[in-house]
Amino acid sequence: MSTHGPPDVTQSRTSDRRENIQLCVCKNYVSIQTRLIHEYERQRRYRHSTLSSTEWPQAFPVISELRQLDEAEFLRRTLRQSHSGYELVGAFRGSELIGVLGMRPVHTLARGAYLHVDDLVVAAEARGSGAGHALMEFAEADACAREMSAVFLDARPEAVAFYERRDFVLHPAPSMKKIL
């Protein structure tokens, strides 16, 4: 009986499968590692900070791309909302404010404690840069730090896809209002 015969086909197929599995695992690891590196690089591009009331006027040009208010009314409303915990968070590229997030803690019987995002705006020239994504990550991390169960928001139809890419889902309860 020769010890140097043809390779055992079963062993060869098993070996191929192992190599394929290892290759697959390796590719997934590289893919995950690449995504983490890209995420880290993206996050380094922006500095986030909660804006003080003296910085609110800086946010007006960005906010005015979403909200049709004059600056005085914007400042009045922001001050009024701040008494209930509303905060403006800025995304800065260098010293330039390119995005603004308006958020507030909410506590209800129906939902418990959650964070509500009232405003998310990225300057037109910075859209697609990842600043909106970074601001939403900030909101989610803030909600977790406050031990809140969820983040809620109202989205314009053209922004729904952005939020769905961030794993938000449409809420089944319709919002209703009555103009007085």
Side-chain angles (χ1 to χ4, degrees):
M1 186 176 201
S2 170
T3 58
H4 296 291
D8 180 2
V9 174
T10 307
Q11 182 182 3
S12 177
R13 286 186 186 145
T14 304
S15 177
D16 287 348
R17 273 195 226 119
R18 267 194 228 116
E19 287 176 22
N20 285 340
I21 291 169
Q22 287 174 343
L23 181 60
C24 183
V25 169
C26 226
K27 281 183 180 177
N28 285 338
Y29 174 75
V30 170
S31 175
I32 291 167
Q33 186 180 33
T34 302
R35 277 186 278 159
L36 289 174
I37 289 168
H38 285 274
E39 183 64 21
Y40 174 75
E41 289 299 320
R42 187 188 56 69
Q43 287 180 359
R44 284 185 41 209
R45 285 188 280 181
Y46 306 105
R47 174 179 60 84
H48 303 92
S49 86
T50 302
L51 303 178
S52 68
S53 59
T54 60
E55 295 172 303
W56 293 347
Q58 273 185 279
F60 177 71
V62 177
I63 284 284
S64 67
E65 292 187 29
L66 176 67
R67 305 285 179 225
Q68 304 307 310
L69 305 167
D70 63 38
E71 186 172 357
E73 184 61 19
F74 161 69
L75 294 172
R76 271 193 296 279
R77 289 184 185 189
T78 302
L79 178 62
R80 188 176 313 122
Q81 287 178 257
S82 72
H83 297 302
S84 300
Y86 179 81
E87 298 175 273
L88 288 176
V89 178
F92 294 84
R93 184 172 43 209
S95 61
E96 179 187 12
L97 179 65
I98 61 166
V100 178
L101 169 77
M103 62 183 195
R104 60 191 161 92
V106 179
H107 302 271
T108 66
L109 291 175
R111 296 180 180 150
Y114 66 93
L115 189 71
H116 191 91
V117 172
D118 289 296
D119 309 290
L120 176 63
V121 193
V122 175
E125 66 276 2
R127 290 186 190 139
S129 67
H133 180 83
L135 284 167
M136 287 306 298
E137 283 183 343
F138 179 93
E140 291 169 23
D142 186 77
C144 288
R146 296 180 196 218
E147 298 182 356
M148 296 178 158
S149 61
V151 175
F152 280 81
L153 53 85
D154 298 315
R156 295 171 292 129
E158 60 270 18
V160 168
F162 168 81
Y163 295 111
E164 287 177 334
R165 286 191 302 273
R166 300 243 354 104
D167 298 325
F168 280 76
V169 294
L170 291 172
H171 193 277
S175 290
M176 301 181 75
K177 72 177 180 180
K178 179 179 181 180
I179 304 293
L180 303 175

